[in-house]
């Protein structure tokens, strides 16, 4: 997790979340149910295998992140980190 809690160092995602079952799969990765170890709150965490993306895939991922970060609706996911 890059920049977790405002820090500039990288933190291993396994130190932040406890992973549970798969919620879904896509072309570049998997979405897992995960519990934040500090707060106990459950989230859906998208884990992307960057080795399967290529340049075009990374462009799609950055576009998705940008779009999701602009959304604000109670029935639509929100980008947390």
């Amino acid at each position: 997790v890059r920049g977790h809690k405002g820090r500039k160092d990288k933190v291993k995602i396994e130190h932040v979340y406890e992973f549970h079952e798969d919620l879904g799969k896509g072309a570049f990765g998997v979405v897992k149910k995960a519990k934040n170890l500090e707060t106990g709150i459950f989230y859906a965490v998208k884990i992307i295998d960057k080795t399967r993306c290529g340049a075009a895939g990374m462009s799609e991922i950055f576009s998705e992140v940008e779009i999701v970060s602009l959304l604000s609706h109670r029935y639509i996911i929100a980008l947390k980190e």
Side-chain angles (χ1 to χ4, degrees):
V1 177
R2 188 177 25 209
H4 179 68
K5 293 262 181 184
R7 295 190 307 240
K8 293 185 181 193
D9 58 328
K10 290 184 181 181
V11 176
K12 289 189 178 248
I13 195 165
E14 296 86 4
H15 295 157
V16 179
Y17 296 99
E18 174 184 274
F19 290 98
H20 296 270
E21 70 271 13
D22 290 358
L23 299 175
K25 293 184 180 184
F28 303 127
V30 63
V31 177
K32 291 189 158 289
K33 181 177 181 180
K35 181 171 79 171
N36 182 292
L37 295 171
E38 187 176 311
T39 66
I41 297 173
F42 282 91
Y43 294 96
V45 175
K46 183 180 260 188
I47 301 169
I48 299 167
D49 181 354
K50 292 187 278 188
T51 64
R52 295 184 356 191
C53 295
M58 288 302 293
S59 178
E60 286 181 40
I61 291 165
F62 285 122
S63 293
E64 179 182 347
V65 169
E66 183 178 2
I67 291 166
V68 171
S69 69
L70 297 173
L71 299 174
S72 177
H73 189 279
R74 68 183 192 183
Y75 295 120
I76 299 176
I77 62 163
L79 183 64
K80 295 290 183 186
E81 299 183 56

